[in-house]
Amino acid sequence: FAAEVAKGLPTAMVSASTDEQEAAYWASLFHHDAFRMYTQGDIAGVEVGGAYKNIMAIATGVSDGLHLGANARAAIISRGMAEMMRFAGLYGATPETLMGLAGLGDLVLTCTDNLSRNRQFGLKLASPKQTSESAQQEIGQVVEGVKAVRVVKAIADEKGLDLPIAEQVYQLVEGNITAKEAAEHLLARELKAES
């Protein structure tokens, strides 16, 4: 979160490029005592992680807004991670990238702190009085997860990819269901092996 960076609080980030020297150059420009930089060559993994975590932050915001508890939040984060990995696999991303800062790190950060606009958006959508448009207006800034979930939904439909949390976030963002219905749909899914 930029507000924490501005305060000089410890932060770790990734400089990604298919050119190792390019990644190292940019990392060296930003790296200092409280700003730890790492390099990464998996562009697809970094890009998917950076986009998909916003969808999951909306979902955790909705869950918390419905007061479903810490267990539900943890389930969304962990199952959201599984979805992210399936989706990123379409683009050749490696699981190692998604287990790093641009995947799991960004996912946990965005899903669990109220500095996240996407989480705030989800909290607002938990209210039956809020629409996607009214929630975005109240936030007053771009809610990246709204655009991301529309793109992810289109690709998932085209590729026949099962992304249940993203699907419910999409339906909620589009105003097709309520937050309570989204939660009910996820809880009603058939028993299956974890993958």
Side-chain angles (χ1 to χ4, degrees):
F1 295 131
E4 290 191 2
V5 173
K7 291 177 184 175
L9 296 173
T11 302
M13 292 189 66
V14 172
S15 171
S17 175
T18 53
D19 180 332
E20 279 184 46
Q21 290 181 334
E22 185 78 14
Y25 169 77
W26 290 104
S28 69
L29 289 181
F30 289 96
H31 187 86
H32 65 79
D33 294 342
F35 202 82
R36 176 89 182 150
M37 290 297 298
Y38 293 84
T39 59
Q40 177 58 260
D42 180 5
I43 300 290
V46 170
E47 289 179 341
V48 169
Y52 212 97
K53 53 93 176 179
N54 293 319
I55 299 168
M56 294 304 113
I58 294 172
T60 55
V62 169
S63 177
D64 288 347
L66 292 173
H67 308 289
L68 299 181
N71 289 333
R73 182 186 320 118
I76 291 168
I77 292 170
S78 60
R79 295 308 302 154
M81 185 71 190
E83 282 189 24
M84 181 191 297
M85 292 176 95
R86 279 197 306 273
F87 186 82
L90 293 173
Y91 301 97
T94 67
E96 293 81 12
T97 300
L98 296 167
M99 292 305 296
L101 291 169
L104 181 61
D106 216 1
L107 179 67
V108 170
L109 174 71
T110 309
C111 289
T112 61
D113 195 280
N114 286 334
L115 286 175
S116 165
R117 293 185 301 268
N118 292 282
R119 177 177 160 71
Q120 285 294 324
F121 178 74
L123 285 165
K124 291 180 184 306
L125 284 185
S127 167
K129 296 177 182 175
Q130 288 275 15
T131 65
S132 184
E133 293 75 23
S134 68
Q136 286 184 77
Q137 285 176 348
E138 280 188 29
I139 291 169
Q141 295 176 307
V142 173
V143 179
E144 301 94 333
V146 172
K147 289 184 179 181
V149 78
R150 290 173 176 150
V151 172
V152 165
K153 164 76 169 154
I155 294 169
D157 286 351
E158 178 187 327
K159 303 288 186 182
L161 197 59
D162 184 33
L163 305 172
I165 301 171
E167 175 68 29
Q168 295 309 309
V169 170
Y170 173 82
Q171 296 300 334
L172 180 57
V173 164
E174 295 301 316
N176 299 330
I177 58 174
T178 66
K180 187 177 177 196
E181 289 170 334
E184 289 169 354
H185 289 155
L186 287 172
L187 291 170
R189 286 177 53 83
E190 292 181 10
L191 178 69
K192 63 177 275 191
E194 184 179 34
S195 60

